[in-house]
Amino acid sequence: MPLSTDELAARVARDIPAYSYVNLGIGQPTRVADHLTPEQGVVLHTENGMLNMGPAATGDDIDPDLTNAGKVPVTELPGASYFHHADSFLMMRGGHLDVCVLGAFQVSVHGDLANWHTGAPDAIPAVGGAMDLAIGARQVYVMMTLFDRQGRPKLVPECTYPLTGLRCVSRVYTDLAVFDVGPGGVVLRESFGITREQLDAMT
C-alpha cells in the first residue's frame, strides 16, 4: 500500500538527525513538524522569520499572526525567536541549516531539483526560498508522490522542468519508496508494498 501524506511525513521525521536545524518547505513537507518528537531536539526554521517553530496549531492555539511560510497557523516551542525576513534568508544562504525538506515536480537521478515551475504557459511560478534552501542546506530531502497526475514518474533521468538547483538533493521520499540520489545515480533504500522489479517497470 502506498503511504499516506501523514505516514510519509512520519517516515521523513524519523530520518532527521537529532538536534538539527531544519526548514520545511511549503505543502506536504510542513506535515513533518507534526511528527517530530521532543527527544529529537530538532529546531525548525521558517523563512518568514522564526526559529523553534512547533507543530500546526489547532482550536484555541491558533494565532493568525503566527504562521509558517505557507501561511498555516503553527505553535511555538520554548525558546522560539523571531527575526527579519532578510536575516532568515542569511541563515538559509549561509549554511546554517542542517536539513531542508522540499516538495518537487521532478528530481533527477543525479539530484537535480525542479520545484518552482512546470513551464506550462498558465502555471504560476512559485520560487519562494527554494533556490536558497537548495544550495544553502547541508542536506536536501524531497517529499513527493512518485508519479504526477498523468501517471508520469517524477524521479527522472534528467529534469525537463526549469531547475531550482543542480545536484543538490540527497534523498527522495515518495509514497511508494525512498531513494538516495547523487553522482552515482539512484539507490533504492526502502519500498512500501511494491517490489524493486515493479518499481523498475513503472519508472
Side-chain angles (χ1 to χ4, degrees):
M1 284 286 292
L3 296 189
S4 67
T5 299
D6 276 320
E7 289 171 331
L8 186 57
R11 178 65 188 81
V12 176
R14 288 200 302 272
D15 276 358
I16 293 177
Y19 306 107
S20 296
Y21 284 78
V22 178
N23 182 287
L24 303 176
I26 293 170
Q28 289 188 13
T30 61
R31 307 277 275 276
V32 174
D34 299 333
H35 299 278
L36 294 168
T37 65
E39 292 74 25
Q40 286 177 273
V42 170
V43 177
L44 291 181
H45 164 277
T46 178
E47 65 199 60
N48 53 322
M50 181 181 179
L51 270 180
N52 223 17
M53 177 182 74
T58 58
D60 293 339
D61 290 331
I62 293 176
D63 179 345
D65 292 324
L66 190 62
T67 67
N68 62 23
K71 298 182 176 61
V72 175
V74 294
T75 54
E76 57 183 1
L77 299 180
S81 60
Y82 307 93
F83 33 86
H84 193 279
H85 199 72
D87 294 326
S88 182
F89 271 72
L90 283 173
M91 293 179 195
M92 292 155 58
R93 295 170 180 166
H96 302 290
L97 296 177
D98 298 299
V99 178
C100 71
V101 185
L102 299 172
F105 295 127
Q106 288 179 331
V107 176
S108 83
V109 296
H110 302 296
D112 301 330
L113 172 66
N115 79 342
W116 69 279
H117 202 338
T118 62
D122 58 345
I124 300 172
V127 178
M131 291 181 180
D132 306 270
L133 289 165
I135 58 97
R138 294 186 179 97
Q139 289 192 79
V140 177
Y141 295 166
V142 163
M143 180 179 169
M144 66 181 190
T145 57
L146 186 54
F147 298 95
D148 65 16
R149 292 175 183 173
Q150 286 73 44
R152 298 171 298 196
K154 294 165 72 172
L155 183 62
V156 295
E158 300 289 340
C159 293
T160 57
Y161 293 150
L163 290 176
T164 305
L166 286 169
R167 303 197 174 214
C168 56
V169 177
S170 51
R171 190 168 295 167
V172 178
Y173 295 83
T174 77
D175 52 336
L176 292 172
V178 179
F179 306 91
D180 283 336
V181 295
V186 62
V187 176
L188 175 66
R189 290 181 60 90
E190 182 180 1
S191 62
F192 312 116
I194 191 170
T195 65
R196 178 188 295 269
E197 291 72 25
Q198 288 172 316
L199 281 169
D200 287 342
M202 295 166 72
T203 57

